[in-house]
Amino acid sequence: KQEVTQIPAALSVPEGENLVLNCSFTDSAIYNLQWFRQDPGKGLTSLLLIQSSQREQTSGRLNASLDKSSGRSTLYIAASQPGDSATYLCAVSNVQGAQKLVFGQGTRLTINP
Amino acid sequence: ETGVTQTPRHLVMGMTNKKSLKCEQHLGHNAMYWYKQSAKKPLELMFVYNFKEQTENNSVPSRFSPECPNSSHLFLHLHTLQPEDSALYLCASSAEPSGLAGGTGELFFGEGSRLTVL
């Protein structure tokens, strides 16, 4: 059974710092991995999708990497801003087709002005 | 209107009530999902519909009844719920690789329906 772990559970950094959020999964036979952002009381916003054949994806100040063999992904946020404060969720799918994502519990990120 | 829209955004119901949650996607996707988000627990997949056919029921109690009349609409009918069913219910959609559009499988979520069962 796939399990996804995100460390740390919470992170607080000053504005302007670069930071890394970690995600690990137990079954390396994944189809894809997705990073989401969730603001309090809101739905999830897709940030980046990495297919199993890819090593990384970039969008603006965000860069996500994938190392399937070690069961790890990282989300790198450059030059953090207070607006980046949110909970970041990692999810993996082990099957092609309608996605049965397994989610981690998230990292609650606070960027201090 | 674009994206995934969920109504109502907030719902309070008694244990004997019957209510429904509605989800509509305007993205041309072929797969739709219900997820449950409870406090201090990871998101849990409840149901998956692919081309209007239910392909996954993740051992969800029968007091939750999904309905997918077409690929753009998804409902979750609620009946005789328990207080522990109080949670944020999230709908999502995706374009699957098996579809005509040859999608990526990326999931797009709605804002959620916050359910409180008294």
Side-chain angles (χ1 to χ4, degrees), chain A residues 26-40:
Chain A
T26 54
D27 183 352
S28 62
I30 66 169
Y31 177 65
N32 61 33
L33 181 146
Q34 207 167 341
W35 281 94
F36 296 90
R37 167 190 174 135
Q38 186 175 30
D39 292 290

Side-chain angles (χ1 to χ4, degrees), chain B residues 4-71:
Chain B
V4 181
T5 305
Q6 290 188 242
T7 54
R9 291 292 312 279
H10 300 274
L11 178 63
V12 179
M13 59 187 289
M15 289 191 287
T16 58
N17 292 156
K18 290 183 181 181
K19 297 286 184 182
S20 296
L21 306 180
K22 178 183 176 182
C23 176
E24 185 174 1
Q25 59 97 359
H26 308 271
L27 300 169
H29 290 166
N30 53 281
M32 297 188 75
Y33 313 78
W34 281 115
Y35 277 86
K36 176 183 178 182
Q37 188 174 35
S38 305
K40 300 185 179 181
K41 292 175 69 175
L43 269 81
E44 302 171 70
L45 177 64
M46 299 176 71
F47 301 104
V48 180
Y49 278 82
N50 197 8
F51 293 100
K52 302 187 298 177
E53 298 298 321
Q54 187 180 124
T55 58
E56 182 81 11
N57 177 337
N58 200 21
S59 303
V60 180
S62 59
R63 57 185 184 269
F64 295 91
S65 175
E67 179 189 1
C68 187
N70 54 61
S71 57

Side-chain angles (χ1 to χ4, degrees), chain B residues 64-82:
Chain B
F64 295 91
S65 175
E67 179 189 1
C68 187
N70 54 61
S71 57
S72 298
H73 293 85
L74 185 65
F75 295 88
L76 188 62
H77 303 299
L78 314 171
H79 175 53
T80 322
L81 295 191
Q82 306 298 312

